[in-house]
Amino acid sequence: MTTTVSQISVWGNGLALRLTKPMAKAAGIAEGTAVRVIAKPGRIVIEAETEPTLEDMLAAFDPKRHGGELMAFEPVGAEVIG
């Protein structure tokens, strides 16, 4: 999760929030990405409309963080193929 403090600015007749490149990258979004904006009192939630593709997930995979043996013990029982 990436957190930052930002500021709302005037843009034309509306207001805008600028996303930094690291924020956009952490969210997996780019120019043209469809988003859902949910507004509640004191809160704005922005969600990407699309799920990341397998290619996106593999590109974000970090072996140092996510790698390693899933089961650190020897197989026992029916899963042993002999």
Side-chain angles (χ1 to χ4, degrees):
M1 177 186 283
T2 301
T3 303
T4 188
V5 176
S6 194
Q7 185 174 332
I8 303 295
S9 302
V10 175
W11 187 17
N13 290 330
L15 299 174
L17 173 66
R18 188 172 149 254
L19 299 177
T20 63
K21 285 184 181 182
M23 290 294 288
K25 184 176 180 180
I29 61 173
E31 183 178 359
T33 300
V35 295
R36 176 185 303 117
V37 181
I38 303 163
K40 299 178 182 180
R43 182 180 191 115
I44 296 174
V45 179
I46 303 170
E47 299 175 334
E49 280 286 307
T50 57
E51 293 292 322
T53 65
L54 177 59
E55 289 174 348
D56 294 335
M57 290 186 282
L58 289 174
F61 180 78
D62 180 0
K64 292 179 183 175
R65 181 172 175 213
H66 302 109
E69 184 62 41
L70 206 47
M71 295 189 303
F73 52 86
E74 294 294 320
V76 295
E79 71 272 11
V80 177
I81 300 175

